[in-house]
């Protein structure tokens, strides 16, 4: 193709373009703060209806013993993805407003950032050959570390995959958090 090469973007790094969208004064606000009363490593799988359709949705909450800024940088730094055991490549486009993750087997998923409020709220829509969906991450200071709450919901293109999608989402969220924890521990 004759298009421009993907742009590099690291929201946590210096010298790059500004973040895709920063919500704050006068704009949309993140959802309510994460409930501080829940236990750590909570999982809450819910399924809900959207337009009469069953939509798999998984929310997982955990405590990481690292400052919110460190957790935020790790999650939003699209250039340094080597800590992710499921990803082979990330192509960053439009200054970080969109990106494409490729699994280690080369399967692409396109992401469009919908919220970027540093150290608080990160969200995006996603689409690939199998599903459309959205992901949202909330970050809050908690007991000298960070409480994270990640919610993912998808609508499989094949209705027969809807029941299995919840199991898949839960497994993916657990893997992501395990990779995140391990990476932060290695950095110290």
């Amino acid at each position: 193709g004759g298009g421009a090469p993907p742009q590099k973007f690291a929201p946590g790094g210096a010298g790059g373009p500004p973040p895709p969208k920063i919500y704050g004064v006068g704009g949309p606000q993140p959802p309510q703060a994460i409930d501080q009363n829940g236990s750590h490593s909570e999982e809450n799988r819910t399924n809900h209806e959207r337009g009469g359709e069953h939509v798999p949705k998984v929310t997982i909450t955990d405590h990481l013993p690292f400052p919110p800024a460190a957790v935020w940088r790790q999650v939003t730094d699209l250039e340094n993805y080597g800590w992710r055991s499921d990803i082979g490549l990330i192509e960053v486009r439009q200054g970080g407003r969109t990106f494409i993750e490729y699994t280690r087997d080369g399967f692409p998923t396109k992401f469009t950032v919908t919220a970027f409020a540093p150290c608080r709220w990160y969200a995006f829509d996603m689409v690939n050959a199998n599903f459309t969906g959205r992901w949202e991450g909330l970050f809050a200071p908690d007991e000298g570390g960070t409480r994270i709450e990640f919610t993912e919901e998808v609508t499989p293109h094949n209705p027969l995959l809807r029941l299995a999608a919840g199991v898949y989402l839960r497994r993916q969220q657990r893997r992501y958090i395990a990779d995140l924890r391990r990476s932060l521990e290695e950095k110290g």
Side-chain angles (χ1 to χ4, degrees):
Q7 296 178 3
K8 294 186 176 188
F9 175 67
K21 293 183 181 181
I22 298 177
Y23 291 90
V25 178
Q29 297 295 316
Q32 291 296 327
I34 300 169
D35 179 8
Q36 299 293 322
N37 298 322
S39 63
H40 301 284
S41 295
E42 296 173 24
E43 262 185 65
N44 176 27
R45 181 176 149 231
T46 60
N47 294 295
H48 66 284
E49 300 289 322
R50 183 185 328 148
E53 293 184 28
H54 178 79
V55 179
K57 178 179 178 180
V58 172
T59 297
I60 188 165
T61 303
D62 204 347
H63 174 271
L64 298 172
F66 304 96
V71 176
W72 175 263
R73 263 191 313 274
Q74 191 71 20
V75 170
T76 62
D77 183 349
L78 300 175
E79 287 187 12
N80 298 306
Y81 54 84
W83 59 275
R84 303 252 326 256
S85 64
D86 59 334
I87 297 300
L89 174 68
I90 296 179
E91 285 182 14
V92 181
R93 298 176 176 194
Q94 299 178 337
R97 287 169 180 78
T98 64
F99 57 98
I100 300 173
E101 289 185 351
Y102 294 87
T103 64
R104 295 205 180 267
D105 296 330
F107 188 79
T109 301
K110 181 180 180 185
F111 298 83
T112 302
V113 176
T114 58
F116 192 98
C119 298
R120 294 180 28 216
W121 184 32
Y122 186 44
F124 43 75
D125 292 333
M126 53 194 173
V127 63
N128 67 25
N130 295 324
F131 66 81
T132 58
R134 65 182 309 272
W135 182 93
E136 175 176 69
L138 300 176
F139 305 77
D142 179 47
E143 299 174 12
T146 305
R147 184 171 172 87
I148 54 173
E149 179 178 301
F150 296 158
T151 300
E152 189 167 9
E153 64 182 89
V154 298
T155 302
H157 299 311
N158 180 343
L160 298 177
L161 296 178
R162 288 197 179 123
L163 293 178
V167 172
Y168 171 79
L169 291 178
R170 188 177 323 121
R171 188 181 78 227
Q172 287 298 102
Q173 291 276 37
R174 284 184 189 149
R175 181 179 186 178
Y176 183 88
I177 290 174
D179 287 350
L180 177 60
R181 181 182 300 276
R182 185 171 34 260
S183 176
L184 289 165
E185 288 170 353
E186 288 172 2
K187 286 183 173 185

